[in-house]
Amino acid sequence: MKKNIITVILCLLLILTAFPAFSTAAQEDETISSTAHTQLKPSNEIIKWKVEFDFSVFEGNPEEYDHTLARMSLGMAASSFRNNDNPEHRDEWIIQYLDEAGFENITTEWYDKDTTEHSISTAIALKELGDKTVIAAVPCGGNYENEWLSNFNVGDEVRHVGFAEAAELVKERIMKYISDNDLTGDLILWMSGYSRGGAVANLVEADMTSSGMFTKVFGYNYAVPHNTRDYEEQIYYNIFNILGKFDIVPLIPFLEWGYGRYGLNLYTPAQEMDSNYDELFSNASIVSEMLTGREMVNNPGVNSQLHMLMEYLYQMLPTSEDYENVMKEPIRKAFSEGDISDVLNVFISALNNVDGADSAQMATIDSMLDYLETIVGTYLQGNKSDAGKGHWDKNVGLAMNLIREHNPDAYINWMFSSNDPEVMFTDSIVTGKIIISGNVEIDIYGESEYVESVRSDGYTYIKDELFTGDLAVPSIYALKKGQQLIIMLPPDRDYSIVINSLETGSVGYMGTIYMVENIIGYMLPVVDFEAEAGGKYYLYYIEDETDERGFRLELKDGTGEDVKHSEFNVVYSPELINRFENFDVYHLTIADALMIAIGIILFVALLFAVDLIIAIVHGIKCRKRGKPYSKYYIIVPHLLLALMFFIMTEFSCYSIPAIRIVPPLMASLGMLILTLVALRGNMRRNCMRNTVILILCAAATVAVYITFRITKLGVFGIPQLIILFIIYLAAAIGAVYTFPHDAKVKLRNCSN
């Protein structure tokens, strides 16, 4: 019962809720510009950009990464998305992309049909380059609807069953295309794919390379899920998989189940793993502004939350056999019956309908639902810490913020942000998460160079007395949760943390190490020590090749001596990390939401009962003709109701600002109640003054809604509270003033 309530409420809350590489100038004769399109989910925003083609890349070695070809491939993979807004021509984007690039005999399959679990849309075309023929082939990578179901058909074989089935279809179509067009001689295969399309393309590229029927095979894939267990048997150096370090889609099915992908993996930057992230991010953000009109947003907090959900899943399903037996059918059923674009709601529904799980798995499911409640509660409160630092995009909903790392615009921003792949693709694939509890402030140093400081409230700033003037220092992600400071440290520098204790008492810390593509992290010992007010303690984050975790933490005092402390070695688990991070964190819980809803219902019911009693009394007194009754029987209940909406407005501004419709709705409903009071008064005593008051109250109702909707008044703060209170008070005084000044009101003839 508890899980059903949690599921329903979570679902309801979620529902409420210069461009250097682009072609902008005339190109040289041998260079062609092609228009790429793609669609972002769940916003359905369509974006387009120009991609430069240089066909000389196909003369090169396919085992050497080529950045121009990688960009051409990304344009092809992103344009392969089905345009479901145009059912008659769902393949228009990929046809335009290949046609403008000079490809001929463009053949698309299944774009004109509804998708099924066993279908895949493809586009194949050719380009004659002297005595060579380049065959471009791309499986659809987005908007494929029912094909989602094959993603969950993992199986327990060497290859992911759903991806392997689709790969066989693509190979058959390529072979048929070659036959239908009588292609012989020097054939070059160029493939790309995104997400599911990337997983399918990856398998086809490997098989076509092994077949020997092509002179060269070029493969560039993006956001590629794991798809095979024999990926280490043969290394395909001609296949490049470009991945976001915190894109969760490439993590599935889990590496711990034995799955990987063919070819070489290249990773785009992440703040948690790259100390030079700020410089790289600023270039990518320029691309984002030209592409979408918005700055690029990066959110390590969300990355951590999504990774935590994957950890819970792995804890519940440690083998692919467990997945097949416990989770496969519930998640397939949830996707079949739900809105595929709302992945989180479908995921919650699947968890709530698991059958056949043992007690340990059910306990993990309950823990996951509680953690989801924390995520949603944090979102509803506007993610104040992250939003203030630009990590959280308040202009889009929860789902868009959660899947940002997987959306194609993230890959486009990175791929077109630099012409030097060695700068963009980094070898840093580890991050360390340090959690410090206690009333402390910290100063962070990298390679003995001052980086930044974090106040006890989580605010990150630069201390003038410590700043050396070096603008190239890294920006470290830090977040405050309750009494916990959470810091994410890249491994590419030796970092140290100065802990400044603000009071005498216990201070604790712990560390976890995470590697790209691994689900479960490595736990460093949990440490607790007694700190003195004003004391400085030095925590060193040190690389240690003798330790399987790769790093260790050392605590020293100002003289370099070890600090006396208690140390505990614990086994890593997502529940443990969750408790450490959210030990005393307030968020809007399901119980809170239920109590608030019940309170509002009871309050409104009480007022309705009072009004009903007044109506009955009114009827009795009407029969007695003219006996006076008090105007306060009308005024007081309405004022109480308006007061309730005022309180709910301030509560929603503070606790659920992310649901942007709620504060203006609550504020305008309160004003509407006061307008009704003015209307009742005007009906009692119709005069010019009362009519003007009524019109002003009605105008104020509309103005309050519009103002709260389009400005920052929907964010909690003392100025906002004062402004709204003044408006309410003025409206209340005016509404009450419309009634006769004597306490008793003569009843009009009820028969009139």
Side-chain angles (χ1 to χ4, degrees):
M1 180 62 182
K2 175 189 174 185
K3 287 195 297 178
N4 289 330
I5 294 174
I6 290 175
T7 299
V8 171
I9 294 178
L10 281 175
C11 291
L12 288 174
L13 292 175
L14 287 170
I15 291 171
L16 291 173
T17 65
F19 216 152
F22 284 19
S23 175
T24 56
Q27 306 298 316
E28 298 178 5
D29 293 341
E30 67 271 16
T31 305
I32 297 175
S33 236
S34 186
T35 306
H37 292 75
T38 197
Q39 191 168 34
L40 308 183
K41 288 294 184 180
S43 65
N44 292 326
E45 176 186 3
I46 296 174
I47 57 176
K48 64 179 181 178
W49 70 102
K50 288 287 187 179
V51 179
E52 293 180 3
F53 269 72
D54 182 355
F55 290 102
S56 66
V57 297
F58 295 110
E59 299 175 4
N61 183 352
E63 295 187 354
E64 295 179 359
Y65 175 86
D66 188 287
H67 203 46
T68 298
L69 183 54
R71 287 169 168 170
M72 292 162 53
S73 301
L74 178 55
M76 182 166 71
S79 298
S80 73
F81 287 23
R82 292 164 62 98
N83 182 8
N84 291 327
D85 294 334
N86 187 1
E88 298 299 320
H89 301 283
R90 296 190 182 101
D91 55 2
E92 66 172 323
W93 295 336
I94 187 61
I95 289 178
Q96 179 182 353
Y97 185 76
L98 293 171
D99 180 64
E100 289 183 7
F103 281 85
E104 301 174 337
N105 295 1
I106 302 172
T107 300
T108 61
E109 288 200 43
W110 214 271
Y111 279 95
D112 59 338
K113 301 176 184 178
D114 292 334
T115 58
T116 72
E117 179 182 353
H118 305 290
S119 70
I120 187 166
S121 303
T122 55
I124 307 175
L126 64 85
K127 173 82 172 178
E128 300 287 351
L129 296 176
D131 59 350
K132 300 179 178 63
T133 302
V134 176
I135 300 173
V138 59
C140 175
N143 296 344
Y144 41 71
E145 298 175 331
N146 294 322
E147 291 175 11
W148 258 101
L149 293 173
S150 74
N151 295 359
F152 306 118
N153 189 16
V154 177
D156 199 27
E157 302 176 13
V158 173
R159 288 184 169 181
H160 181 292
V161 172
F163 296 152
E165 181 183 55
E168 290 301 316
L169 289 175
V170 175
K171 286 192 292 184
E172 290 174 8
R173 293 174 189 175
I174 292 174
M175 300 304 296
K176 184 176 184 300
Y177 183 87
I178 293 173
S179 175
D180 290 347
N181 289 275
D182 297 322
L183 300 179
T184 58
D186 201 345
L187 302 180
I188 298 173
L189 179 63
W190 170 41
M191 290 195 71
S192 183
Y194 179 87
S195 194
R196 176 180 186 259
V200 173
N202 180 273
L203 296 177
V204 177
E205 291 156 5
D207 289 347
M208 290 304 192
T209 300
S210 298
S211 72
M213 67 176 297
F214 294 94
T215 305
K216 299 176 182 178
V217 176
F218 294 87
Y220 288 80
N221 312 304
Y222 292 84
V224 188
H226 293 143
N227 54 16
T228 184
R229 283 173 162 153
D230 65 347
Y231 63 98
E232 292 182 320
E233 292 184 8
Q234 180 177 350
I235 305 299
Y236 293 89
Y237 293 99
N238 60 317
I239 301 175
F240 299 94
N241 307 302
I242 298 170
L243 313 164
K245 291 177 180 175
F246 286 92
D247 181 352
I248 64 167
V249 171
L251 298 180
I252 304 170
F254 301 139
L255 188 70
E256 286 80 357
W257 290 354
Y259 286 93
R261 62 184 75 83
Y262 296 121
L264 305 177
N265 299 326
L266 303 174
Y267 299 98
T268 58
Q271 185 178 3
E272 303 94 308
M273 295 186 177
D274 298 289
S275 293
N276 63 337
Y277 180 81
D278 275 5
E279 177 185 352
L280 302 174
F281 180 79
S282 63
N283 293 332
S285 191
I286 292 173
V287 178
S288 178
E289 287 191 73
M290 298 188 70
L291 188 68
T292 67
R294 300 186 301 269
E295 292 184 354
M296 189 173 176
V297 175
N298 155 59
N299 197 331
V302 165
N303 296 343
S304 179
Q305 290 172 337
L306 291 178
H307 196 279
M308 183 75 73
L309 290 177
M310 293 300 102
E311 293 176 43
Y312 274 116
L313 265 182
Y314 175 68
Q315 179 173 286
M316 182 176 69
L317 309 167
T319 68
S320 58
E321 184 179 359
D322 290 315
Y323 165 79
E324 291 288 323
N325 294 335
V326 175
M327 197 68 182
K328 178 180 176 180
E329 289 308 315
I331 202 165
R332 283 167 55 87
K333 183 175 184 293
F335 267 89
S336 298
E337 298 176 352
D339 179 3
I340 293 176
S341 65
D342 197 350
V343 179
L344 195 55
N345 271 337
V346 172
F347 182 65
I348 292 169
S349 177
L351 286 177
N352 194 60
N353 289 284
V354 167
D355 291 320
D358 58 30
S359 58
Q361 289 168 329
M362 292 305 299
T364 301
I365 290 174
D366 288 339
S367 185
M368 286 181 69
L369 287 171
D370 289 340
Y371 188 66
L372 284 167
E373 177 183 318
T374 302
I375 294 176
V376 174
T378 305
Y379 163 72
L380 293 178
Q381 293 180 68
N383 278 61
K384 297 181 179 64
S385 296
D386 275 337
K389 299 174 183 176
H391 292 298
W392 189 269
D393 189 347
K394 296 180 288 186
N395 296 313
V396 300
L398 174 60
M400 188 76 169
N401 274 287
L402 289 179
I403 67 170
R404 186 170 298 281
E405 292 290 324
H406 186 64
N407 253 336
D409 61 324
Y411 287 90
I412 297 168
N413 295 341
W414 286 121
M415 290 300 296
F416 288 88
S417 66
S418 173
N419 294 321
D420 186 354
E422 292 186 3
V423 171
M424 186 177 60
F425 298 127
T426 65
D427 296 328
S428 181
I429 56 172
V430 179
T431 186
K433 179 193 290 186
I434 313 297
I435 304 173
I436 303 174
S437 62
N439 188 11
V440 300
E441 292 184 352
I442 63 172
D443 304 319
I444 302 174
Y445 291 80
E447 305 286 2
S448 301
E449 184 84 6
Y450 172 71
V451 175
E452 63 187 16
S453 300
V454 185
R455 291 190 326 211
S456 59
D457 60 0
Y459 178 76
T460 304
Y461 69 108
I462 301 295
K463 286 184 178 179
D464 292 337
E465 64 271 23
L466 298 179
F467 183 54
T468 62
D470 184 1
L471 298 179
V473 296
S475 174
I476 302 300
Y477 177 77
L479 179 67
K480 178 74 170 181
K481 284 190 174 183
Q483 284 294 310
Q484 291 74 245
L485 281 175
I486 301 171
I487 307 104
M488 306 290 285
L489 295 177
D492 52 6
R493 293 193 185 188
D494 289 331
Y495 284 95
S496 60
I497 299 172
V498 179
I499 301 174
N500 303 292
S501 180
L502 302 181
E503 64 182 16
T504 299
S506 176
V507 174
Y509 65 84
M510 60 162 291
T512 50
I513 306 298
Y514 298 94
M515 296 186 65
V516 164
E517 309 241 19
N518 287 87
I519 297 300
I520 297 299
Y522 295 96
M523 193 84 171
L524 299 178
V526 178
V527 173
D528 185 83
F529 66 96
E530 287 297 317
E532 296 180 358
K536 289 182 179 292
Y537 305 89
Y538 298 81
L539 185 61
Y540 296 94
Y541 178 60
I542 302 172
E543 186 174 3
D544 186 354
E545 295 181 357
T546 64
D547 193 312
E548 66 172 353
R549 294 166 293 198
F551 294 86
R552 71 177 190 274
L553 294 172
E554 287 187 358
L555 182 65
K556 305 286 186 180
D557 61 18
T559 65
E561 297 295 323
D562 291 337
V563 175
K564 184 179 180 181
H565 62 272
S566 302
E567 185 173 302
F568 310 92
N569 287 303
V570 294
V571 178
Y572 185 95
S573 73
E575 289 94 346
L576 182 63
I577 302 300
N578 185 18
R579 290 193 188 99
F580 269 108
E581 288 189 8
N582 300 289
F583 176 70
D584 55 354
V585 177
Y586 166 76
H587 62 272
L588 186 67
T589 66
I590 298 301
D592 293 337
L594 287 173
M595 292 300 295
I596 292 168
I598 292 171
I600 292 174
I601 292 171
L602 290 177
F603 188 79
V604 173
L606 178 61
L607 285 177
F608 177 78
V610 171
D611 275 346
L612 181 62
I613 294 172
I614 291 174
I616 294 173
V617 172
H618 177 273
I620 294 173
K621 291 183 177 181
C622 273
R623 287 192 293 271
K624 295 181 179 180
R625 298 290 180 136
K627 186 175 181 179
Y629 73 98
S630 174
K631 63 183 178 182
Y632 298 115
Y633 286 128
I634 297 173
I635 295 174
V636 173
H638 286 81
L639 290 183
L640 289 175
L641 195 58
L643 177 62
M644 183 198 74
F645 281 116
F646 173 79
I647 295 172
M648 287 304 301
T649 301
E650 297 304 323
F651 171 80
S652 60
C653 286
Y654 177 75
S655 293
I656 52 174
I659 306 181
R660 301 181 66 184
I661 187 63
V662 176
L665 185 62
M666 292 292 112
S668 56
L669 283 175
M671 286 300 303
L672 180 62
I673 296 299
L674 296 176
T675 303
L676 292 177
V677 174
L679 177 63
R680 293 289 293 272
N682 195 58
M683 292 171 63
R684 295 296 180 185
R685 188 173 59 177
N686 191 354
C687 63
M688 180 60 69
R689 182 196 63 196
N690 285 359
T691 301
V692 171
I693 292 175
L694 175 62
I695 293 173
L696 289 175
C697 286
T701 301
V702 176
V704 163
Y705 178 82
I706 294 175
T707 303
F708 265 74
R709 195 77 174 94
I710 66 176
T711 69
K712 294 183 178 180
L713 286 179
V715 180
F716 182 82
I718 298 301
Q720 291 88 328
L721 186 151
I722 294 174
I723 292 172
L724 186 61
F725 179 77
I726 292 173
I727 295 173
Y728 265 59
L729 183 61
I733 292 173
V736 172
Y737 195 70
T738 60
F739 282 82
H741 298 316
D742 56 330
K744 302 292 183 179
V745 179
K746 290 286 186 179
L747 294 174
R748 294 188 298 178
N749 193 323
C750 292
S751 62
N752 291 338

